[in-house]
Amino acid sequence: MAAGAPRIFVSHLSGVAVFDPTGDQVGRVRDLVVMLRVGRRPPRLLGLVVELATRRRIFLPMTRVTGVESGQVITTGVLNVRRFEQRPTERLVFGELLDRRVTLVETREEVTVLDLSVQQLPARRDWEIDRVFVRKGGKGGAFRRKGETLTVEWSAVTGFALEEHGQGAESLLATFEQLRPADLANVLHHLSPKRRVEVAAALDDDRLADVLEELPEDDQIEILGKLKEERAADVLEAMDPDDAADLLSELPTEEQERLLSLMQPGDAADMRRLMSYEEHTAGGLMTTEPIILRPDATVADALARVRNADLSPALAAQVYVCRPPDETPTGKYLGTVHFQKLLRDPPYTLVSAMIDDDLQALEPDAALPVVAGFFATYDMVAAPVVDESGALLGAVTVDDVLDHMLPEDWRETEFHLTEEHVEDEPGSDASDGDGRDELDDVLEDDTVDESTGPDTETGTDTGPDDTGVDDTRNGREGLGKGEEAGSHDA
């Protein structure tokens, strides 16, 4: 490997913006696609999985990457926006290689993969994984976290091609720590079922609850079914009541009852009440935990409640003034105070003096079109749901209305980009597939085989160096016959 060739650790590429030559952002890096090769030869970096603004994931070949520097990736500007589909011979670096247990060739000691570095080969204008950052120590627990870390050559480890059960997820999660729940849900959705369950198990209850709310129904059921019942009940309690009730309603009756019996009585009662309403009604859409204040509360009290970081923006947009009790179903509902009104009045003002009591509340059996019409007519982001006795039952937020008005599979598709638009997408190169066809001239023996390989001394670096990456042009036009590459079917 040529000295001075650019090298970068893959953890530094997570979420990095991808730009075209004119400076317009194309998307963000969500994973790297590599192919393992025979013996101890380093895997070839085929390309990047890039998430567009539409949430569509595409494949960006490294042949179209002209620079990786200063926290950004520069492309040639020629992109194909066909949806990325992983091929059998390919491996995803973040999704499959991080957190693996592999073996040091020299000592036969098991280590955990924390990071990988990729390096460009100037002579061939290609990229490959060259080093592995690992941690010694037992699997899981504090001992693992305190184990010695070192960076070794790829040829110094073995075991990447073997199937692993119970693979950890700490390093993967660290690369996506700053993602919003919806974006992390998109990451989980594109993982293999095995890896998806492993990553979900590594999330804490609150984070997993937020992510579950953003996943398609099939993924929700799959993940919940793999959790221990006690933890599944805890995660359901951490979810918004309306989302938890929707998920519970999709489970068999016996499983519903088991999970409800493990919940706190108050949370279980909320779930049962929400599940008693028809799905596409105000009662079925509402959350039972809006901001509720008594008439003698002040603007300062209201603002203190609104500041709660756990509230969604829609729920924080207004407070509901009711007579005791303060939890749903409440005493008599008196009216709503909007957030903007709270900002305009002195802190000592009583909320009872500033309520909007002219706005008609929704009835729990109001159908979805009625609810949607209410939001459109009054430009609201949340609306109270009140029963015949005048008690506040909950509040419907605009995001819940949209969730139920969009197609059932909307989370699994892009916001507005469809397959038939691919050919017309500006800047796409739809004539040559997704760019991987240029790798199809291969050697017959270039397959994964970890049974043989030279013994190589391991390195003793203390960790990955945060080296810069030059803007070295990757001008490779394609691999000719006889060059080493992975086998791909067009």
Side-chain angles (χ1 to χ4, degrees), residues 300-314:
D301 297 327
L303 290 175
R305 295 283 300 278
V306 167
R307 289 190 187 99
N308 184 352
D310 293 332
L311 288 173
S312 68

Side-chain angles (χ1 to χ4, degrees), residues 319-473:
V319 300
Y320 303 101
V321 183
C322 306
R323 299 199 182 279
D326 302 335
E327 296 183 355
T328 57
T330 67
K332 183 175 177 57
Y333 166 71
L334 301 177
T336 300
V337 180
H338 304 285
F339 176 62
Q340 287 183 322
K341 180 67 173 173
L342 293 172
L343 294 177
R344 292 194 292 262
D345 282 61
Y348 53 79
T349 306
L350 296 179
V351 293
S352 57
M354 49 197 305
I355 60 175
D356 180 358
D357 54 6
D358 294 332
L359 198 63
Q360 184 85 20
L362 292 170
E363 297 179 355
D365 59 353
L368 180 58
V370 175
V371 178
F374 177 92
F375 279 91
T377 300
Y378 298 107
D379 297 326
M380 303 290 287
V381 295
V385 180
V386 176
D387 65 12
E388 294 179 353
S389 67
L392 180 70
L393 300 177
V396 177
T397 56
V398 67
D399 58 304
D400 289 321
V401 176
L402 288 173
D403 282 351
H404 287 75
M405 294 189 70
L406 290 168
E408 290 186 3
D409 63 345
W410 75 268
R411 294 184 189 277
E412 303 177 54
T413 58
E414 294 73 27
F415 294 145
H416 53 72
L417 190 63
T418 56
E419 289 291 346
E420 55 267 26
H421 295 153
V422 169
E423 299 290 337
D424 300 327
E425 181 72 7
S428 71
D429 184 7
S431 63
D432 65 346
D434 58 8
R436 283 180 279 181
D437 294 337
E438 60 195 45
L439 300 174
D440 282 340
D441 289 330
V442 299
L443 291 175
E444 288 184 6
D445 64 342
D446 202 9
T447 56
V448 176
D449 180 5
E450 296 212 354
S451 61
T452 62
D455 291 337
T456 307
E457 293 186 2
T458 60
T460 56
D461 296 344
T462 58
D465 298 326
D466 189 3
T467 57
V469 179
D470 297 333
D471 187 10
T472 305
R473 185 175 185 82

